Amino acid sequence: MTKRRPLVAGNWKMNGSRTESAALLDGIKKGMSSASKAEVAVCPPYILIPLAAEKLVGSAVAWGGQNLSAHESGAYTGEISGPMLRDYGCTYVIVGHSERRTLYGENDAMVAEKYGAAQAVGLIPILCVGETLQEREVNRTEAVVARQLDVVLGKHGIGSFRNAVVAYEPVWAIGTGKTATPRQAQDVHRFIRSRLAARDKTVAESTRILYGGSMKGGNAGELLTQPDIDGGLIGGASLQAEEFLTICRAAD
Ligand code: 13P
């Protein structure tokens, strides 16, 4: 039987004023049961991370970044490094989100560098993979996900997945209200785990693979009961405490 602890992580993207975010953090903290089996984390915009740290310290909710620089420090205007995120108590950092890949030109090699930079300072990378609609329509889903995984595996090895989380986020399901069916998601999750298992079965069995893409309170249950879906990476629905908490409870 699986011993993977479910993880529900909120990716706030570029949303929230200081006041709204304080209320959201308070709401999540208040609604979290201390007996929660699932691990819960939020990833606010950089500038709100100190607020998250202040509000969540000592609670059951962890926090993380949405991105990081591949460099530790230096002349990189506008960037935030892994050591800075650690300094503010981050546990996680999202790497390779499809919005970073498509809007900011992050390729597989850059994503692999960021993954390594995160682990070098003890952050747990949440490595995002996923195909576009066009790639799915021409049956390239597995090829795309395999390529995205293999670049990281090639550079950092299977052992690095002991301290990493994978998130399968089909690009066509992100922010569209179009969720992958439980079957579609499970098929890709199983494929991802088998890709890891080909290198090391034990690591593959312990690696958490999250689903992301229009997950909400209403559809979380059926997705989260799939055998290879170990939690969710939540965008829009993580901006409302009650909706996010409903997903967290479904993961329990
Ligand atoms: P939505 O839940 O808004 O579709 O976003 C998913 C996502 O991109 C999480 O990283």
Side-chain angles (χ1 to χ4, degrees):
M1 272 317 338
T2 173
K3 289 190 197 69
R4 295 184 296 271
R5 186 177 180 202
L7 169 65
V8 177
N11 174 8
W12 292 8
K13 307 194 180 183
M14 197 175 74
N15 291 294
S17 68
R18 190 178 162 83
T19 309
E20 287 162 353
S21 304
L24 178 54
L25 291 163
D26 286 338
I28 294 169
K29 200 166 86 170
K30 205 168 131 224
M32 271 289 293
S33 142
S34 54
S36 169
K37 179 169 146 256
E39 198 182 338
V40 173
V42 293
C43 298
Y46 288 139
I47 201 167
L48 294 166
I49 287 176
L51 178 69
E54 184 193 311
K55 293 269 184 196
L56 299 177
V57 68
S59 80
V61 184
W63 59 94
Q66 299 173 11
N67 178 34
L68 83 168
S69 168
H71 306 282
E72 258 187 42
S73 66
Y76 302 101
T77 301
E79 293 288 282
I80 296 285
S81 71
M84 292 170 177
L85 295 177
R86 276 306 274 166
D87 204 18
Y88 280 87
C90 289
T91 302
Y92 294 99
V93 64
I94 298 169
V95 298
H97 191 278
S98 78
E99 286 148 23
R100 301 292 321 169
R101 292 180 190 259
T102 58
L103 303 173
Y104 301 98
E106 290 189 14
N107 59 30
D108 293 327
M110 288 157 78
V111 172
E113 279 203 28
K114 292 184 174 201
Y115 175 101
Q119 289 194 332
V121 294
L123 290 163
I124 300 173
I126 301 177
L127 171 67
C128 299
V129 298
E131 81 289 1
T132 62
L133 183 59
Q134 194 200 5
E135 288 162 342
R136 173 164 283 266
E137 282 172 350
V138 296
N139 280 323
R140 301 249 324 136
T141 299
E142 292 189 353
V144 168
V145 169
R147 188 203 74 223
Q148 291 170 331
L149 279 177
D150 288 356
V151 175
V152 175
L153 281 164
K155 193 168 165 78
H156 302 290
I158 182 69
S160 74
F161 282 78
R162 284 195 187 92
N163 299 306
V165 173
V166 179
Y168 168 57
E169 299 207 307
V171 179
W172 48 272
I174 297 178
T176 57
K178 240 171 132 186
T179 317
T181 64
R183 175 69 196 274
Q184 281 175 322
Q186 166 58 22
D187 284 350
V188 182
H189 280 238
R190 192 198 309 110
F191 173 75
I192 292 169
R193 199 175 309 284
S194 69
R195 195 86 186 169
L196 300 177
R199 309 223 182 188
D200 189 314
K201 269 199 163 139
T202 313
V203 173
E205 276 309 307
S206 68
T207 303
R208 290 177 295 182
I209 307 173
L210 315 183
Y211 169 80
S214 300
M215 196 191 265
K216 313 178 198 46
N219 60 26
E222 53 175 9
L223 285 159
L224 293 168
T225 47
Q226 299 297 311
D228 289 295
I229 301 185
D230 307 312
L233 184 56
I234 322 299
S238 73
L239 298 173
Q240 290 159 346
E242 260 325 301
E243 188 74 15
F244 185 61
L245 288 163
T246 303
I247 301 172
C248 299
R249 283 179 210 119
D252 269 347

